[in-house]
Amino acid sequence: MSVLGAERIKLFSTKSPWWSSLATVVFVVGFGMIFLLTTASLVREDGPAVPFRVGVSTTQQGIFFGQMVILVMAALAITTEYRFNTIKTTFQAIPGRTSVMLSKALIIGLLAAVLGEIAAFASWGLGRLLVTDFDLTIRTADQWRQVAGAGLVFAITAIIGLAVGALTRHTAGAVTALLVWAMLGEQLIGAIPRVGDKIQPWLPFNAGGHFLGVGPNQNEGAQTGTDLPYNAWGAVAYFAGVAVVLFLVAVLVVNRRDA
Amino acid sequence: MVVPLSFKHAVRGQVGGAMIEARGLTKRYGRTVAVESLSFTVQPGRVTGFLGPNGAGKSTTMRLILGLDRPSSGDVLIDGKHYRDLHSPLRYIGALLDAKWVHPNRSARAHLKWLARSNGLPKRRVDEVLELVGLTNVAKRKAGGFSLGMSQRLGIAAALLGDPQILLFDEPVNGLDPEGIHWIRQLMKRLAAEGRTVFVSSHLLSEMAQTADELVVIGRGKLIAQSTTGEFVERASGTSVRVRTPQLERLRTALAGTAGTTVRVDEGALLVNGMTSDQVGEVAATQGVVLHELSPQRGSLEEAFMRLTGDAIEYHAEEAGEHLHMQGTSGGAKE
């Protein structure tokens, strides 16, 4: 418990997590609204000819951008400790490195979950205010998942960021690796002729997005992709599995390595 | 107001008897051997200096004591336990390895707050140590803006936070102004006088001669000596005797015949190592040699220390540390 408390004080006693939190919400809501308004006006003009609809998940299309901020924030939570050598002070105060890592994961994961919920519901709420001629009411379990699921996806995202941060120990390295992978790597791999389509479901961020109905090639109504090897919950389980494996490797490495 | 170093509300372990014990401590980084089969003990109630030139392995040893680095072989025990097995270690052992190991955007108080929290120490202890080191007025300022002296004080506040029985300081006076140096020296003596175990590293023998009661001396990762400071200074500075005589060759031959003695000619005089001036005088008398000068010489402390720990030195210690003989070796250091 005391380790958790220490990590909480550490996280909130510098400014960057506060800015990251604000950025997360602003990105999700901002990009979500741009996407929603654009889509809504296209559908209004062309009607049924447009290959997509406007619905609850249309308000959630900014999630990915917030997710990128979460990745960076979580990686920074540990890389700055290495950069300023406070990791040594930390391990001096708490020699059990596994409990340090678990506490960090819990704190940063919780923060990410809360931010995910705030951002997702803010997006949905604002969307309902801005776009009144489409039905944006949350009715089905799938729609609930698409909005309320953001917290879960953000928490998993934070664990991945933390793990990669702990493994690289460098802010620049961790952020580059994470962002290049999430923003470019998965798209490029998916675009490889023939095999790309088969690999794509197994790319972790793609799977996480599928859970929220915001992945590539998915529009409103993509509840369970018929061509995908898993349903929405399978997708998030896979995403979480990747995070857990990365995290376990990070804990192992942190324990074995000199501080 | 005098703030007690001691921790009124502490739930501490036993008082006294807390010591550090290194047993065959070895640390290799790749092919580099930083510390090699180092064994020593640090006792409570006195300041123990950890002396060695830069790069001798002092900081590495300190990191090994704190469980930050893992020894390649051997181990080091605190109160008979490995650091990693200590529960709430800040209550047992406080350390200042590097004053700049703080987040520059975190306030001094927040830095101490998370440390206190991590070991279940009450919040008021944070204010106590801030007061103790004189940082109360700047407690809310970011640690990144602190001068070296202030950072050092913050580091010491952190070390004292858990009211530990053992304290480690790595080169604590480096870069400090005279006032800061004086403050730290007094603090270390005070801590030791309270019965605590104080282990402080330095690359300056002159600094250690002023603060340490006992010395652990290392060079190139190996133990050179563990003794009281007085003994070490005596040995390190050497007992060379300067003799002038008109019968220089005769006396030189007579002295050189004695075991454990080296004689060299210097500006028309003899410099004798390994013998007291009394002994030299007696030899001269038995030989019927006239003496014009017979004076003990005290070498420069730092120079002698450099010879002891320096690079191309082969080191021999005769039984029971009676005498130290230093010989420059042409083929580099052996052993």
Side-chain angles (χ1 to χ4, degrees):
Chain A
M1 274 298 117
S2 51
V3 185
L4 262 183
E7 287 302 326
R8 181 182 52 80
I9 297 171
K10 238 192 263 178
L11 185 65
F12 292 111
S13 58
T14 62
K15 283 200 183 118
S16 86
W18 296 103
W19 286 112
S20 305
S21 299
L22 185 67
T24 305
V25 177
V26 168
F27 275 32
V28 171
V29 176
F31 283 105
M33 290 310 101
I34 293 171
F35 190 87
L36 174 69
L37 294 174
T38 314
T39 311
S41 76
L42 280 174
V43 174
R44 277 186 212 111
E45 281 166 28
D46 298 346
V50 184
F52 38 72
R53 302 194 288 117
V54 175
V56 170
S57 77
T58 320
T59 64
Q60 301 299 309
Q61 301 295 321
I63 283 291
F64 180 74
F65 298 95
Q67 222 181 331
M68 296 304 103
V69 184
I70 294 288
L71 272 181
V72 174
M73 179 174 77
L76 280 172
I78 189 146
T79 56
T80 53
E81 288 234 42
Y82 279 102
R83 178 170 168 210
F84 299 121
N85 283 307
T86 50
I87 195 74
K88 298 191 175 85
T89 322
T90 298
F91 291 150
Q92 186 195 324
I94 311 144
R97 299 184 184 182
T98 304
S99 69
V100 171
M101 288 296 286
L102 284 173
S103 301
K104 274 191 191 298
L106 200 66
I107 298 284
I108 200 88
L110 267 176
L111 174 64
V114 169
L115 289 174
E117 296 305 324
I118 293 173
F121 280 98
S123 260
W124 169 73
L126 193 61
R128 260 166 59 111
L129 289 177
L130 296 177
V131 177
T132 47
D133 51 341
F134 290 95
D135 182 13
L136 297 181
T137 314
I138 300 175
R139 293 174 207 279
T140 66
D142 281 333
Q143 287 170 328
W144 274 110
R145 188 196 72 232
Q146 285 165 358
V147 180
L152 180 58
V153 169
F154 274 25
I156 297 167
T157 303
I159 305 300
I160 292 177
L162 181 69
V164 173
L167 288 168
T168 59
R169 290 187 280 184
H170 293 286
T171 304
V175 169
T176 309
L178 286 164
L179 293 189
V180 165
W181 173 256
M183 299 180 84
L184 244 118
E186 296 205 351
Q187 264 72 348
L188 289 178
I189 290 173
I192 298 172
R194 284 193 311 216
V195 288
D197 285 348
K198 293 201 179 66
I199 301 171
Q200 202 170 38
W202 303 108
L203 300 170
F205 288 96
N206 197 357
H210 175 66
F211 175 70
L212 298 177
V214 296
N217 314 318
Q218 290 182 36
N219 307 306
E220 161 63 15
Q223 325 277 307
T224 47
T226 43
D227 53 341
L228 291 175
Y230 42 58
N231 64 13
W233 288 99
V236 83
Y238 173 70
F239 186 42
V242 170
V244 167
V245 169
L246 273 173
F247 182 70
L248 288 179
V249 172
V251 169
L252 202 74
V253 170
V254 165
N255 268 297
R256 299 188 63 162
R257 202 159 51 183
D258 289 335
Chain B
M1 189 183 88
V2 177
V3 181
L5 285 172
S6 240
F7 188 0
K8 285 164 285 185
H9 324 284
V11 207
R12 50 153 320 98
Q14 83 280 30
V15 173
M19 56 179 242
I20 305 170
E21 189 184 5
R23 304 184 300 194
L25 204 54
T26 301
K27 179 65 184 178
R28 280 182 287 273
Y29 296 103
R31 283 185 167 180
T32 319
V33 182
V35 172
E36 200 175 342
S37 14
L38 205 54
S39 297
F40 61 85
T41 54
V42 186
Q43 303 281 356
R46 60 185 103 159
V47 177
T48 303
F50 192 25
L51 189 62
N54 290 327
K58 299 189 297 295
S59 298
T60 301
T61 306
M62 294 235 169
R63 284 201 305 272
L64 291 168
I65 293 173
L66 295 173
L68 293 176
D69 288 13
R70 219 178 259 273
S72 307
S73 66
D75 58 1
V76 55
L77 301 177
I78 294 107
D79 263 350
K81 286 187 202 136
H82 286 115
Y83 192 89
R84 283 190 182 212
D85 298 329
L86 293 177
H87 186 68
S88 298
L90 299 184
R91 292 169 186 263
Y92 292 88
I93 178 164
L96 168 57
L97 294 202
D98 189 325
K100 287 291 173 193
W101 288 356
V102 289
H103 193 299
N105 293 330
R106 192 175 283 136
S107 73
R109 169 172 279 118
H111 177 69
L112 295 173
K113 248 174 78 180
W114 76 255
L115 273 173
R117 186 63 198 270
S118 72
N119 275 239
L121 302 162
K123 267 192 206 141
R124 61 175 170 270
R125 183 61 188 164
V126 169
D127 297 317
E128 273 177 38
V129 292
L130 279 168
E131 173 102 45
L132 179 68
V133 300
L135 288 181
T136 307
N137 292 331
V138 292
K140 285 187 178 150
R141 273 174 48 188
K142 288 177 181 175
F146 280 11
S147 67
L148 183 61
M150 287 158 84
S151 301
Q152 211 84 1
R153 281 167 185 264
L154 178 58
I156 286 173
L160 295 174
L161 199 58
D163 189 29
Q165 200 58 28
I166 305 176
L167 287 137
L168 298 190
F169 299 109
D170 195 6
E171 302 270 3
V173 300
N174 255 14
L176 290 189
D177 56 17
E179 196 214 329
I181 293 177
H182 178 74
W183 183 77
I184 290 196
R185 281 182 190 159
Q186 292 310 111
L187 178 76
M188 288 190 299
K189 287 180 181 168
R190 204 168 132 200
L191 290 165
E194 288 179 352
R196 294 172 211 260
T197 307
V198 181
F199 193 42
V200 52
S201 79
S202 177
H203 62 282
L204 298 172
L205 179 54
S206 54
E207 173 60 32
M208 287 295 92
Q210 303 210 35
T211 27
D213 308 300
E214 173 110 9
L215 286 178
V216 172
V217 187
I218 65 168
R220 302 206 302 164
K222 290 183 198 163
L223 186 73
I224 288 179
Q226 171 160 22
S227 68
T228 67
T229 308
E231 271 169 35
F232 184 78
V233 166
E234 188 99 331
R235 285 193 331 209
S237 52
T239 44
S240 86
V241 180
R242 185 180 156 89
V243 202
R244 280 196 304 120
T245 169
Q247 295 135 294
L248 192 123
E249 261 317 302
R250 187 159 162 200
L251 183 61
R252 195 180 74 91
T253 321
L255 290 170
T258 319
T261 306
T262 55
V263 184
R264 96 197 131 81
V265 182
D266 180 47
E267 291 170 11
L270 292 175
L271 278 178
V272 186
N273 277 305
M275 237 185 219
T276 64
S277 53
D278 296 9
Q279 290 170 316
V280 175
E282 281 156 23
V283 171
T286 54
Q287 297 289 320
V289 169
V290 175
L291 295 184
H292 289 171
E293 182 189 341
L294 177 64
S295 57
Q297 306 283 305
R298 206 162 179 82
S300 145
L301 218 52
E302 295 302 338
E303 200 182 275
F305 171 54
M306 268 165 58
R307 274 194 283 124
L308 260 177
T309 55
D311 256 352
I313 293 294
E314 191 179 52
Y315 160 76
H316 296 290
E318 287 186 348
E319 309 88 78
E322 289 297 322
H323 296 289
L324 293 175
H325 296 269
M326 263 66 61
Q327 304 168 313
T329 51
S330 45
K334 288 175 218 148
E335 193 193 358

